[in-house]
Amino acid sequence: MALKPLRKYVEGTDIAHILNEAAEKGIVVRHTSSASGTGKPGDANNLLEIPTNASGVPLGILATDVVSLDLSRYEHLARYHRDETVVGSPVTVVTHGFVYTNMWSGSDPTAGAPAYYTATGKLTTTNTGSVSVGRFRGVPDSDGYVGVDVTVRV
C-alpha cells in the first residue's frame, strides 16, 4: 500500500489520462513527451508515464494501482472494489488535495518543505530540478508514511 486511507482530493483529481504501464498508487506521474491528447476524457492520446528522470511536466500523484491482468479471466473489467485499474485504462490522478504516502526517498521531510519528484517518481525534499508537486505536511509516521499537500498546476 502506498497511500493511507486518510486523504482528500474530491475535486482535485484528473481522470482523463491513460497509463500504459503497471504502477503503484502514491507515485508521481507525468505527461509523456510524445503526448498529443486534448486533455478531454476519452482521448486515447492523453498519455502519462512514470518518470525516468526528474524533468517533464507532472500531472500529479497516482491515486489507484495500475495492474497488468489477463482480462479474459474476468466477467467484468472494472475492479473498483480493489481500488485498481488495468494497464491502458484511464487512471485517477490527484492534482490538488492531500495524501499520505510512503513513496518518498532521501532525507526525512519536514513540515512545509517543498515536495519534488525523483527520476523514479518518488517524492523528495531535494531539489532535483523537477517541478514541485506540493509541500510536505510534517515528518514521516512510524510506518514511513508522510503527508503531502498536492498543488500541481496543470
Side-chain angles (χ1 to χ4, degrees):
M1 175 174 48
L3 288 181
K4 280 194 169 184
L6 178 57
R7 46 190 149 161
K8 181 179 179 183
Y9 50 79
V10 176
E11 294 181 19
T13 58
D14 180 291
I15 56 170
H17 290 80
I18 296 169
L19 187 62
N20 284 325
E21 55 189 306
E24 189 175 358
K25 58 188 165 189
I27 202 157
V28 174
V29 289
R30 68 179 182 193
H31 298 276
T32 61
S33 58
S34 62
S36 60
T38 61
K40 295 179 182 176
D43 187 339
N45 293 318
N46 293 337
L47 300 177
L48 297 174
E49 66 183 358
I50 298 169
T52 54
N53 56 45
S55 65
V57 180
L59 182 61
I61 294 179
L62 192 62
T64 53
D65 288 325
V66 181
V67 296
S68 180
L69 293 175
D70 175 8
L71 297 178
S72 65
R73 297 178 18 206
Y74 302 98
E75 183 176 332
H76 301 288
L77 299 181
R79 296 169 58 85
Y80 302 115
H81 63 286
R82 293 196 175 229
D83 198 22
E84 67 184 27
T85 189
V86 294
V87 169
S89 297
V91 295
T92 303
V93 180
V94 179
T95 59
H96 189 269
F98 70 85
V99 297
Y100 284 86
T101 182
N102 65 351
M103 299 298 260
W104 63 275
S105 64
S107 59
D108 282 359
T110 57
Y116 300 100
Y117 68 91
T118 66
T120 60
K122 291 187 177 185
L123 298 172
T124 182
T125 57
T126 305
N127 187 341
T128 58
S130 69
V131 176
S132 172
V133 296
R135 295 203 170 274
F136 289 101
R137 298 186 86 155
V139 298
D141 65 12
S142 60
D143 297 326
Y145 286 77
V146 65
V148 180
D149 286 317
V150 182
T151 54
V152 178
R153 305 287 186 241
V154 290

Short mmCIF file of all heavy atoms in Angstrom, two decimals, residues 81-152:
data_model
loop_
_atom_site.label_atom_id
_atom_site.label_comp_id
_atom_site.label_asym_id
_atom_site.label_seq_id
_atom_site.Cartn_x
_atom_site.Cartn_y
_atom_site.Cartn_z
N HIS A 81 -13.67 -2.39 -6.47
CA HIS A 81 -13.54 -2.83 -5.08
C HIS A 81 -12.08 -3.02 -4.67
O HIS A 81 -11.77 -3.06 -3.50
CB HIS A 81 -14.33 -4.12 -4.87
CG HIS A 81 -13.83 -5.27 -5.68
ND1 HIS A 81 -14.06 -5.37 -7.03
CD2 HIS A 81 -13.09 -6.35 -5.34
CE1 HIS A 81 -13.50 -6.46 -7.50
NE2 HIS A 81 -12.89 -7.07 -6.49
N ARG A 82 -11.19 -3.12 -5.63
CA ARG A 82 -9.77 -3.27 -5.34
C ARG A 82 -9.00 -1.97 -5.47
O ARG A 82 -7.80 -1.95 -5.31
CB ARG A 82 -9.15 -4.31 -6.26
CG ARG A 82 -9.67 -5.69 -5.98
CD ARG A 82 -8.78 -6.68 -6.63
NE ARG A 82 -9.22 -8.00 -6.26
CZ ARG A 82 -8.40 -8.91 -5.80
NH1 ARG A 82 -7.14 -8.65 -5.64
NH2 ARG A 82 -8.85 -10.10 -5.51
N ASP A 83 -9.71 -0.90 -5.80
CA ASP A 83 -9.07 0.40 -5.98
C ASP A 83 -7.91 0.31 -6.97
O ASP A 83 -6.81 0.76 -6.71
CB ASP A 83 -8.60 0.96 -4.63
CG ASP A 83 -8.34 2.45 -4.67
OD1 ASP A 83 -8.88 3.12 -5.57
OD2 ASP A 83 -7.60 2.96 -3.82
N GLU A 84 -8.20 -0.36 -8.11
CA GLU A 84 -7.17 -0.51 -9.12
C GLU A 84 -7.81 -0.44 -10.50
O GLU A 84 -9.01 -0.59 -10.66
CB GLU A 84 -6.42 -1.83 -8.96
CG GLU A 84 -7.25 -3.06 -9.21
CD GLU A 84 -6.49 -4.36 -8.93
OE1 GLU A 84 -5.57 -4.36 -8.12
OE2 GLU A 84 -6.87 -5.37 -9.54
N THR A 85 -6.98 -0.24 -11.48
CA THR A 85 -7.40 -0.26 -12.88
C THR A 85 -6.36 -1.03 -13.66
O THR A 85 -5.29 -1.34 -13.14
CB THR A 85 -7.57 1.17 -13.42
OG1 THR A 85 -8.17 1.12 -14.71
CG2 THR A 85 -6.27 1.92 -13.48
N VAL A 86 -6.68 -1.37 -14.88
CA VAL A 86 -5.74 -2.16 -15.68
C VAL A 86 -4.92 -1.27 -16.60
O VAL A 86 -5.34 -0.16 -16.95
CB VAL A 86 -6.46 -3.25 -16.49
CG1 VAL A 86 -7.08 -4.28 -15.57
CG2 VAL A 86 -7.50 -2.66 -17.39
N VAL A 87 -3.75 -1.75 -17.00
CA VAL A 87 -2.87 -1.03 -17.90
C VAL A 87 -3.66 -0.64 -19.16
O VAL A 87 -4.40 -1.45 -19.71
CB VAL A 87 -1.66 -1.91 -18.27
CG1 VAL A 87 -0.86 -1.30 -19.40
CG2 VAL A 87 -0.78 -2.14 -17.06
N GLY A 88 -3.49 0.60 -19.59
CA GLY A 88 -4.17 1.07 -20.79
C GLY A 88 -5.53 1.68 -20.53
O GLY A 88 -6.22 2.08 -21.47
N SER A 89 -5.95 1.76 -19.27
CA SER A 89 -7.24 2.35 -18.90
C SER A 89 -7.02 3.71 -18.25
O SER A 89 -5.93 4.00 -17.76
CB SER A 89 -7.98 1.45 -17.92
OG SER A 89 -8.27 0.21 -18.50
N PRO A 90 -8.05 4.56 -18.22
CA PRO A 90 -7.91 5.83 -17.53
C PRO A 90 -7.58 5.63 -16.04
O PRO A 90 -8.04 4.67 -15.43
CB PRO A 90 -9.29 6.48 -17.69
CG PRO A 90 -9.85 5.84 -18.91
CD PRO A 90 -9.34 4.44 -18.89
N VAL A 91 -6.78 6.53 -15.49
CA VAL A 91 -6.37 6.45 -14.09
C VAL A 91 -6.81 7.71 -13.36
O VAL A 91 -7.03 8.75 -13.96
CB VAL A 91 -4.84 6.28 -13.96
CG1 VAL A 91 -4.40 4.95 -14.53
CG2 VAL A 91 -4.09 7.42 -14.64
N THR A 92 -6.92 7.60 -12.04
CA THR A 92 -7.22 8.76 -11.20
C THR A 92 -5.91 9.35 -10.71
O THR A 92 -5.09 8.64 -10.13
CB THR A 92 -8.09 8.35 -10.00
OG1 THR A 92 -9.28 7.72 -10.48
CG2 THR A 92 -8.46 9.56 -9.16
N VAL A 93 -5.72 10.64 -10.94
CA VAL A 93 -4.50 11.33 -10.55
C VAL A 93 -4.89 12.53 -9.66
O VAL A 93 -5.73 13.33 -10.04
CB VAL A 93 -3.71 11.82 -11.78
CG1 VAL A 93 -2.45 12.55 -11.36
CG2 VAL A 93 -3.38 10.66 -12.69
N VAL A 94 -4.27 12.61 -8.49
CA VAL A 94 -4.51 13.73 -7.57
C VAL A 94 -3.71 14.94 -8.05
O VAL A 94 -2.50 14.89 -8.15
CB VAL A 94 -4.10 13.38 -6.13
CG1 VAL A 94 -4.34 14.56 -5.21
CG2 VAL A 94 -4.83 12.15 -5.65
N THR A 95 -4.42 16.02 -8.38
CA THR A 95 -3.77 17.25 -8.81
C THR A 95 -3.83 18.33 -7.74
O THR A 95 -3.05 19.26 -7.74
CB THR A 95 -4.40 17.79 -10.10
OG1 THR A 95 -5.79 18.05 -9.85
CG2 THR A 95 -4.24 16.81 -11.24
N HIS A 96 -4.79 18.20 -6.82
CA HIS A 96 -4.96 19.16 -5.73
C HIS A 96 -5.65 18.47 -4.57
O HIS A 96 -6.70 17.87 -4.74
CB HIS A 96 -5.78 20.36 -6.21
CG HIS A 96 -5.80 21.48 -5.24
ND1 HIS A 96 -6.76 21.60 -4.27
CD2 HIS A 96 -4.95 22.51 -5.06
CE1 HIS A 96 -6.52 22.68 -3.55
NE2 HIS A 96 -5.42 23.25 -4.02
N GLY A 97 -5.04 18.54 -3.40
CA GLY A 97 -5.60 17.91 -2.22
C GLY A 97 -4.46 17.48 -1.30
O GLY A 97 -3.38 18.06 -1.34
N PHE A 98 -4.72 16.46 -0.46
CA PHE A 98 -3.63 15.93 0.34
C PHE A 98 -3.72 14.41 0.42
O PHE A 98 -4.79 13.83 0.35
CB PHE A 98 -3.53 16.57 1.73
CG PHE A 98 -4.64 16.21 2.68
CD1 PHE A 98 -4.59 15.06 3.44
CD2 PHE A 98 -5.72 17.05 2.84
CE1 PHE A 98 -5.59 14.74 4.32
CE2 PHE A 98 -6.73 16.75 3.73
CZ PHE A 98 -6.68 15.59 4.46
N VAL A 99 -2.54 13.79 0.51
CA VAL A 99 -2.43 12.34 0.62
C VAL A 99 -1.35 12.01 1.64
O VAL A 99 -0.51 12.85 1.96
CB VAL A 99 -2.07 11.69 -0.73
CG1 VAL A 99 -3.15 11.91 -1.76
CG2 VAL A 99 -0.74 12.17 -1.26
N TYR A 100 -1.37 10.78 2.14
CA TYR A 100 -0.30 10.25 2.98
C TYR A 100 0.31 9.09 2.23
O TYR A 100 -0.37 8.11 1.94
CB TYR A 100 -0.84 9.81 4.35
CG TYR A 100 -1.10 10.99 5.24
CD1 TYR A 100 -2.32 11.67 5.18
CD2 TYR A 100 -0.13 11.47 6.10
CE1 TYR A 100 -2.56 12.78 5.96
CE2 TYR A 100 -0.36 12.58 6.89
CZ TYR A 100 -1.58 13.22 6.82
OH TYR A 100 -1.80 14.31 7.58
N THR A 101 1.58 9.20 1.89
CA THR A 101 2.23 8.21 1.04
C THR A 101 3.57 7.76 1.62
O THR A 101 4.20 8.50 2.37
CB THR A 101 2.45 8.78 -0.39
OG1 THR A 101 3.05 7.77 -1.20
CG2 THR A 101 3.31 10.02 -0.39
N ASN A 102 3.97 6.55 1.24
CA ASN A 102 5.31 6.07 1.60
C ASN A 102 6.22 6.08 0.37
O ASN A 102 7.31 5.54 0.40
CB ASN A 102 5.24 4.67 2.21
CG ASN A 102 4.76 3.62 1.23
OD1 ASN A 102 4.31 3.92 0.12
ND2 ASN A 102 4.82 2.37 1.65
N MET A 103 5.76 6.71 -0.70
CA MET A 103 6.55 6.79 -1.93
C MET A 103 7.42 8.04 -1.91
O MET A 103 7.22 8.98 -2.67
CB MET A 103 5.62 6.77 -3.14
CG MET A 103 4.77 5.52 -3.24
SD MET A 103 5.76 4.05 -3.42
CE MET A 103 5.63 3.81 -5.16
N TRP A 104 8.39 8.06 -1.00
CA TRP A 104 9.33 9.17 -0.90
C TRP A 104 10.72 8.58 -0.62
O TRP A 104 10.83 7.44 -0.20
CB TRP A 104 8.92 10.15 0.19
CG TRP A 104 8.88 9.60 1.58
CD1 TRP A 104 7.86 8.92 2.17
CD2 TRP A 104 9.92 9.64 2.54
NE1 TRP A 104 8.21 8.53 3.43
CE2 TRP A 104 9.47 8.97 3.69
CE3 TRP A 104 11.20 10.18 2.54
CZ2 TRP A 104 10.24 8.83 4.83
CZ3 TRP A 104 11.98 10.03 3.68
CH2 TRP A 104 11.49 9.37 4.81
N SER A 105 11.74 9.37 -0.88
CA SER A 105 13.10 8.90 -0.64
C SER A 105 13.97 10.09 -0.23
O SER A 105 13.56 11.24 -0.35
CB SER A 105 13.67 8.23 -1.89
OG SER A 105 13.77 9.15 -2.94
N GLY A 106 15.17 9.78 0.22
CA GLY A 106 16.09 10.84 0.64
C GLY A 106 15.96 11.16 2.11
O GLY A 106 15.48 10.35 2.91
N SER A 107 16.36 12.37 2.49
CA SER A 107 16.31 12.77 3.89
C SER A 107 14.86 12.96 4.33
O SER A 107 13.98 13.25 3.53
CB SER A 107 17.11 14.05 4.10
OG SER A 107 16.60 15.09 3.28
N ASP A 108 14.63 12.79 5.65
CA ASP A 108 13.28 12.90 6.18
C ASP A 108 12.68 14.28 5.91
O ASP A 108 13.31 15.30 6.19
CB ASP A 108 13.27 12.66 7.70
CG ASP A 108 13.35 11.18 8.04
OD1 ASP A 108 13.38 10.35 7.10
OD2 ASP A 108 13.36 10.86 9.24
N PRO A 109 11.46 14.31 5.37
CA PRO A 109 10.80 15.59 5.12
C PRO A 109 10.45 16.30 6.43
O PRO A 109 10.33 15.67 7.49
CB PRO A 109 9.51 15.18 4.40
CG PRO A 109 9.72 13.79 3.95
CD PRO A 109 10.69 13.18 4.90
N THR A 110 10.28 17.59 6.35
CA THR A 110 9.81 18.40 7.48
C THR A 110 8.61 19.20 7.01
O THR A 110 8.38 19.37 5.82
CB THR A 110 10.91 19.36 7.97
OG1 THR A 110 11.32 20.18 6.87
CG2 THR A 110 12.10 18.62 8.52
N ALA A 111 7.85 19.71 7.96
CA ALA A 111 6.65 20.47 7.63
C ALA A 111 6.98 21.68 6.77
O ALA A 111 7.89 22.45 7.08
CB ALA A 111 5.94 20.91 8.91
N GLY A 112 6.27 21.82 5.66
CA GLY A 112 6.44 22.97 4.79
C GLY A 112 7.51 22.84 3.73
O GLY A 112 7.63 23.69 2.86
N ALA A 113 8.29 21.75 3.79
CA ALA A 113 9.35 21.57 2.79
C ALA A 113 8.72 21.26 1.42
O ALA A 113 7.76 20.52 1.33
CB ALA A 113 10.26 20.42 3.20
N PRO A 114 9.27 21.84 0.36
CA PRO A 114 8.74 21.55 -0.98
C PRO A 114 8.91 20.07 -1.33
O PRO A 114 9.89 19.45 -0.94
CB PRO A 114 9.58 22.41 -1.92
CG PRO A 114 10.33 23.36 -1.06
CD PRO A 114 10.39 22.78 0.31
N ALA A 115 7.94 19.53 -2.06
CA ALA A 115 7.98 18.13 -2.50
C ALA A 115 8.30 18.09 -3.98
O ALA A 115 7.47 18.44 -4.81
CB ALA A 115 6.65 17.45 -2.21
N TYR A 116 9.51 17.68 -4.30
CA TYR A 116 9.94 17.50 -5.69
C TYR A 116 9.81 16.01 -6.00
O TYR A 116 9.58 15.20 -5.11
CB TYR A 116 11.39 17.94 -5.87
CG TYR A 116 11.62 19.39 -5.53
CD1 TYR A 116 12.16 19.77 -4.31
CD2 TYR A 116 11.28 20.38 -6.44
CE1 TYR A 116 12.37 21.10 -3.99
CE2 TYR A 116 11.50 21.72 -6.14
CZ TYR A 116 12.04 22.07 -4.92
OH TYR A 116 12.24 23.39 -4.62
N TYR A 117 9.99 15.64 -7.26
CA TYR A 117 9.99 14.22 -7.57
C TYR A 117 11.33 13.78 -8.15
O TYR A 117 12.04 14.55 -8.74
CB TYR A 117 8.82 13.83 -8.50
CG TYR A 117 8.89 14.34 -9.92
CD1 TYR A 117 9.50 13.60 -10.92
CD2 TYR A 117 8.30 15.55 -10.26
CE1 TYR A 117 9.54 14.05 -12.22
CE2 TYR A 117 8.34 16.02 -11.56
CZ TYR A 117 8.95 15.26 -12.54
OH TYR A 117 8.98 15.72 -13.83
N THR A 118 11.64 12.52 -7.89
CA THR A 118 12.92 11.95 -8.33
C THR A 118 12.77 11.31 -9.71
O THR A 118 11.68 11.26 -10.27
CB THR A 118 13.40 10.87 -7.34
OG1 THR A 118 12.49 9.76 -7.40
CG2 THR A 118 13.50 11.40 -5.92
N ALA A 119 13.85 10.75 -10.20
CA ALA A 119 13.84 10.07 -11.51
C ALA A 119 13.00 8.81 -11.50
O ALA A 119 12.68 8.27 -12.54
CB ALA A 119 15.27 9.74 -11.93
N THR A 120 12.59 8.35 -10.32
CA THR A 120 11.73 7.16 -10.24
C THR A 120 10.29 7.50 -9.88
O THR A 120 9.47 6.60 -9.71
CB THR A 120 12.29 6.17 -9.19
OG1 THR A 120 12.32 6.83 -7.91
CG2 THR A 120 13.66 5.69 -9.57
N GLY A 121 9.99 8.79 -9.75
CA GLY A 121 8.63 9.20 -9.43
C GLY A 121 8.33 9.32 -7.95
O GLY A 121 7.22 9.67 -7.57
N LYS A 122 9.30 9.03 -7.10
CA LYS A 122 9.09 9.18 -5.66
C LYS A 122 9.30 10.64 -5.28
O LYS A 122 9.97 11.40 -5.98
CB LYS A 122 10.04 8.29 -4.88
CG LYS A 122 9.73 6.82 -5.04
CD LYS A 122 10.58 5.99 -4.13
CE LYS A 122 10.19 4.53 -4.25
NZ LYS A 122 10.90 3.69 -3.29
N LEU A 123 8.73 11.03 -4.15
CA LEU A 123 8.86 12.40 -3.66
C LEU A 123 10.14 12.57 -2.86
O LEU A 123 10.63 11.62 -2.26
CB LEU A 123 7.66 12.76 -2.78
CG LEU A 123 6.31 12.73 -3.50
CD1 LEU A 123 5.17 12.91 -2.51
CD2 LEU A 123 6.25 13.79 -4.58
N THR A 124 10.66 13.78 -2.85
CA THR A 124 11.89 14.07 -2.11
C THR A 124 11.91 15.54 -1.73
O THR A 124 11.24 16.36 -2.36
CB THR A 124 13.15 13.72 -2.94
OG1 THR A 124 14.32 13.97 -2.16
CG2 THR A 124 13.22 14.53 -4.23
N THR A 125 12.69 15.87 -0.71
CA THR A 125 12.87 17.27 -0.33
C THR A 125 14.02 17.90 -1.11
O THR A 125 14.16 19.11 -1.14
CB THR A 125 13.18 17.40 1.18
OG1 THR A 125 14.34 16.62 1.48
CG2 THR A 125 12.02 16.94 2.03
N THR A 126 14.82 17.08 -1.75
CA THR A 126 15.97 17.56 -2.52
C THR A 126 15.51 18.15 -3.84
O THR A 126 14.75 17.52 -4.57
CB THR A 126 16.95 16.40 -2.80
OG1 THR A 126 17.30 15.80 -1.57
CG2 THR A 126 18.19 16.90 -3.52
N ASN A 127 15.99 19.35 -4.14
CA ASN A 127 15.63 19.97 -5.41
C ASN A 127 16.35 19.22 -6.53
O ASN A 127 17.54 19.38 -6.74
CB ASN A 127 16.00 21.44 -5.42
CG ASN A 127 15.49 22.15 -6.66
OD1 ASN A 127 15.18 21.53 -7.67
ND2 ASN A 127 15.42 23.46 -6.58
N THR A 128 15.59 18.41 -7.25
CA THR A 128 16.15 17.56 -8.30
C THR A 128 16.09 18.24 -9.66
O THR A 128 16.44 17.64 -10.67
CB THR A 128 15.37 16.25 -8.39
OG1 THR A 128 13.99 16.56 -8.65
CG2 THR A 128 15.49 15.44 -7.11
N GLY A 129 15.62 19.48 -9.69
CA GLY A 129 15.43 20.16 -10.96
C GLY A 129 14.03 19.94 -11.51
O GLY A 129 13.68 20.48 -12.55
N SER A 130 13.25 19.12 -10.81
CA SER A 130 11.87 18.87 -11.24
C SER A 130 10.96 19.97 -10.71
O SER A 130 11.33 20.77 -9.85
CB SER A 130 11.39 17.52 -10.72
OG SER A 130 11.24 17.55 -9.31
N VAL A 131 9.77 20.00 -11.23
CA VAL A 131 8.75 20.93 -10.76
C VAL A 131 8.24 20.43 -9.41
O VAL A 131 8.05 19.24 -9.21
CB VAL A 131 7.58 20.99 -11.77
CG1 VAL A 131 6.46 21.87 -11.28
CG2 VAL A 131 8.08 21.45 -13.13
N SER A 132 8.00 21.34 -8.47
CA SER A 132 7.44 20.96 -7.18
C SER A 132 5.99 20.51 -7.36
O SER A 132 5.23 21.14 -8.09
CB SER A 132 7.50 22.16 -6.22
OG SER A 132 6.79 21.87 -5.04
N VAL A 133 5.64 19.40 -6.72
CA VAL A 133 4.26 18.91 -6.81
C VAL A 133 3.46 19.25 -5.56
O VAL A 133 2.28 18.91 -5.46
CB VAL A 133 4.21 17.40 -7.08
CG1 VAL A 133 4.80 17.07 -8.42
CG2 VAL A 133 4.90 16.63 -5.99
N GLY A 134 4.08 19.93 -4.60
CA GLY A 134 3.38 20.31 -3.38
C GLY A 134 4.34 20.54 -2.23
O GLY A 134 5.52 20.83 -2.43
N ARG A 135 3.81 20.38 -1.02
CA ARG A 135 4.62 20.57 0.20
C ARG A 135 4.34 19.43 1.17
O ARG A 135 3.22 18.93 1.25
CB ARG A 135 4.27 21.89 0.87
CG ARG A 135 4.64 23.09 0.03
CD ARG A 135 4.81 24.32 0.92
NE ARG A 135 5.38 25.41 0.18
CZ ARG A 135 6.66 25.62 -0.02
NH1 ARG A 135 7.54 24.80 0.49
NH2 ARG A 135 7.10 26.65 -0.72
N PHE A 136 5.37 19.06 1.91
CA PHE A 136 5.20 18.03 2.93
C PHE A 136 4.46 18.62 4.12
O PHE A 136 4.66 19.78 4.48
CB PHE A 136 6.56 17.47 3.36
CG PHE A 136 7.20 16.61 2.31
CD1 PHE A 136 8.21 17.10 1.50
CD2 PHE A 136 6.79 15.30 2.13
CE1 PHE A 136 8.79 16.31 0.53
CE2 PHE A 136 7.37 14.49 1.16
CZ PHE A 136 8.38 15.00 0.36
N ARG A 137 3.62 17.82 4.76
CA ARG A 137 2.83 18.28 5.91
C ARG A 137 3.56 18.10 7.23
O ARG A 137 3.15 18.66 8.24
CB ARG A 137 1.52 17.51 5.97
CG ARG A 137 0.66 17.74 4.74
CD ARG A 137 -0.66 17.09 4.92
NE ARG A 137 -1.49 18.05 5.64
CZ ARG A 137 -2.80 18.06 5.58
NH1 ARG A 137 -3.43 17.17 4.88
NH2 ARG A 137 -3.49 18.97 6.24
N GLY A 138 4.58 17.29 7.26
CA GLY A 138 5.31 17.03 8.50
C GLY A 138 6.32 15.92 8.31
O GLY A 138 6.71 15.61 7.19
N VAL A 139 6.71 15.32 9.42
CA VAL A 139 7.70 14.23 9.38
C VAL A 139 6.98 12.90 9.14
O VAL A 139 5.78 12.79 9.38
CB VAL A 139 8.52 14.18 10.69
CG1 VAL A 139 9.30 15.47 10.88
CG2 VAL A 139 7.62 13.92 11.89
N PRO A 140 7.70 11.88 8.68
CA PRO A 140 7.08 10.57 8.46
C PRO A 140 6.58 9.96 9.77
O PRO A 140 7.17 10.18 10.83
CB PRO A 140 8.22 9.73 7.88
CG PRO A 140 9.20 10.72 7.36
CD PRO A 140 9.08 11.92 8.22
N ASP A 141 5.50 9.17 9.69
CA ASP A 141 4.99 8.48 10.87
C ASP A 141 5.77 7.19 11.10
O ASP A 141 6.74 6.90 10.38
CB ASP A 141 3.48 8.23 10.76
CG ASP A 141 3.11 7.27 9.63
OD1 ASP A 141 4.00 6.61 9.06
OD2 ASP A 141 1.90 7.17 9.33
N SER A 142 5.36 6.40 12.08
CA SER A 142 6.10 5.18 12.43
C SER A 142 6.08 4.14 11.31
O SER A 142 6.92 3.24 11.28
CB SER A 142 5.53 4.58 13.71
OG SER A 142 4.16 4.26 13.52
N ASP A 143 5.13 4.25 10.38
CA ASP A 143 5.05 3.32 9.25
C ASP A 143 5.81 3.81 8.03
O ASP A 143 5.85 3.15 6.99
CB ASP A 143 3.59 3.08 8.86
CG ASP A 143 2.79 2.42 9.96
OD1 ASP A 143 3.37 1.59 10.70
OD2 ASP A 143 1.59 2.73 10.08
N GLY A 144 6.39 5.03 8.11
CA GLY A 144 7.13 5.58 6.99
C GLY A 144 6.29 6.39 6.02
O GLY A 144 6.76 6.77 4.95
N TYR A 145 5.05 6.68 6.38
CA TYR A 145 4.18 7.49 5.52
C TYR A 145 4.29 8.96 5.92
O TYR A 145 4.42 9.27 7.11
CB TYR A 145 2.72 7.05 5.66
CG TYR A 145 2.43 5.75 4.96
CD1 TYR A 145 2.82 4.54 5.52
CD2 TYR A 145 1.78 5.73 3.74
CE1 TYR A 145 2.56 3.34 4.88
CE2 TYR A 145 1.51 4.54 3.10
CZ TYR A 145 1.90 3.35 3.68
OH TYR A 145 1.64 2.17 3.03
N VAL A 146 4.21 9.83 4.94
CA VAL A 146 4.31 11.26 5.20
C VAL A 146 3.17 11.96 4.46
O VAL A 146 2.78 11.56 3.37
CB VAL A 146 5.70 11.79 4.77
CG1 VAL A 146 5.89 11.69 3.27
CG2 VAL A 146 5.91 13.21 5.25
N GLY A 147 2.65 13.01 5.08
CA GLY A 147 1.58 13.78 4.46
C GLY A 147 2.12 14.75 3.43
O GLY A 147 3.19 15.34 3.62
N VAL A 148 1.39 14.91 2.33
CA VAL A 148 1.79 15.81 1.27
C VAL A 148 0.58 16.61 0.82
O VAL A 148 -0.47 16.03 0.51
CB VAL A 148 2.35 15.05 0.04
CG1 VAL A 148 2.78 16.02 -1.05
CG2 VAL A 148 3.49 14.14 0.44
N ASP A 149 0.70 17.94 0.83
CA ASP A 149 -0.31 18.80 0.22
C ASP A 149 0.03 18.90 -1.25
O ASP A 149 1.06 19.45 -1.62
CB ASP A 149 -0.30 20.20 0.85
CG ASP A 149 -0.92 20.20 2.24
OD1 ASP A 149 -1.96 19.55 2.41
OD2 ASP A 149 -0.35 20.83 3.15
N VAL A 150 -0.80 18.34 -2.09
CA VAL A 150 -0.56 18.30 -3.53
C VAL A 150 -1.13 19.56 -4.17
O VAL A 150 -2.31 19.86 -4.00
CB VAL A 150 -1.20 17.04 -4.17
CG1 VAL A 150 -0.89 16.98 -5.65
CG2 VAL A 150 -0.72 15.79 -3.46
N THR A 151 -0.29 20.29 -4.88
CA THR A 151 -0.72 21.50 -5.58
C THR A 151 -0.04 21.59 -6.94
O THR A 151 0.80 22.45 -7.16
CB THR A 151 -0.39 22.76 -4.76
OG1 THR A 151 1.00 22.73 -4.45
CG2 THR A 151 -1.20 22.84 -3.48
N VAL A 152 -0.40 20.68 -7.83
CA VAL A 152 0.21 20.67 -9.16
C VAL A 152 -0.58 21.63 -10.04
O VAL A 152 -1.80 21.58 -10.10
CB VAL A 152 0.19 19.26 -9.77
CG1 VAL A 152 0.77 19.29 -11.17
CG2 VAL A 152 0.97 18.30 -8.88
#
